[in-house]
């Protein structure tokens, strides 16, 4: 009898999902919708400061990937929305990160604010800068519902901020 009960219990467990599939509600919002990038002193690069707030509006923890376990801000990307350019956003950086299991955790119904100084261009080809410095962009965070970041990323729509415009100082 005990073996039969154990067999039923184990069979029932095989139908449980590997990960929680409850809908997740996360928003990423920048402090402004328009920024002016200024020349960085002593360089041919432009930069501006963007403040972003990510809100975890549900009952689950969410996690932001970071490059090193002690980094204070998460890994981010800048997505060029328009105009189209094969080089993408000039404000993207190259991340050379080591694997670890120490993401930034945001508690249920919690929020986090980051201040990021975006600078570009960050890549050149034959002396020509790659990517757009002006246009419409979005910030992109690597947000996951799992601490180990494997197998449970959030949909792209929940990883992107609102759109914002950048122009250069005249």
């Amino acid at each position: 009898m005990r073996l039969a009960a154990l067999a039923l219990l184990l069979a029932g467990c095989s139908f449980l999902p590997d990960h929680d599939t409850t809908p997740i509600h996360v928003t990423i919002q920048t402090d402004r919708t328009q920024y002016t990038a200024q020349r960085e002193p002593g360089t041919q690069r432009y930069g501006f400061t963007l403040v972003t707030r990510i809100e975890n509006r549900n009952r689950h923890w969410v996690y932001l990937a970071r490059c090193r376990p002690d980094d204070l801000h998460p890994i981010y990307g800048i997505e060029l929305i328009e105009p189209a350019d094969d080089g993408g956003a000039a404000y993207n950086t190259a991340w050379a990160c080591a694997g670890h299991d120490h993401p930034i955790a945001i508690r249920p119904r919690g929020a986090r604010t980051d201040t990021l100084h975006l600078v570009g261009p960050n890549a050149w080809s034959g002396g020509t800068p790659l990517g757009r410095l002006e246009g419409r962009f979005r910030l992109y965070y690597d947000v996951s519902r799992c601490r180990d970041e494997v197998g449970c990323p959030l949909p792209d729509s929940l990883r992107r901020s609102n759109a914002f415009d950048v122009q250069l100082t005249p």
Side-chain angles (χ1 to χ4, degrees):
M1 172 116 169
R2 286 185 180 166
L3 283 175
L6 180 59
L8 285 173
L9 178 64
L10 290 175
C13 289
S14 67
F15 297 108
L16 295 176
D18 290 339
H19 297 288
D20 186 353
T21 57
T22 306
I24 291 278
H25 302 286
V26 172
T27 58
I28 303 171
Q29 185 73 36
T30 61
D31 61 327
R32 299 171 42 197
T33 58
Q34 295 188 358
Y35 297 90
T36 301
Q38 299 179 11
R39 179 153 307 186
E40 295 286 304
T43 73
Q44 296 298 313
R45 300 168 77 201
Y46 289 82
F48 63 98
T49 300
L50 178 142
V51 178
T52 185
R53 179 178 170 85
I54 179 170
E55 291 185 40
N56 178 7
R57 298 177 172 193
N58 55 93
R59 60 186 174 117
H60 303 280
W61 286 83
V62 295
Y63 302 92
L64 301 174
R66 58 178 152 187
C67 201
R68 293 178 302 270
D70 58 347
D71 280 350
L72 299 178
H73 61 77
I75 295 172
Y76 62 87
I78 304 299
E79 175 184 44
L80 175 65
I81 300 172
E82 60 184 40
D85 187 310
D86 290 342
Y91 300 103
N92 272 323
T93 60
W95 296 95
C97 304
H100 61 84
D101 62 352
H102 299 289
I104 296 169
I106 303 175
R107 65 179 170 76
R109 304 201 193 324
R112 168 187 177 82
T113 301
D114 288 296
T115 300
L116 307 171
H117 187 69
L118 304 181
V119 177
N122 292 305
W124 291 262
S125 177
T128 303
L130 297 178
R132 298 288 303 196
L133 291 165
E134 293 184 286
R136 180 162 277 221
F137 302 89
R138 279 194 188 103
L139 175 75
Y140 183 90
Y141 275 156
D142 188 1
V143 187
S144 176
R145 69 166 62 218
C146 298
R147 182 175 189 82
D148 63 9
E149 303 173 22
V150 177
C152 50
L154 297 184
D156 282 345
S157 62
L158 299 178
R159 297 168 167 228
R160 291 182 172 112
S161 75
N162 57 290
F164 57 89
D165 295 314
V166 179
Q167 63 184 22
L168 301 182
T169 54

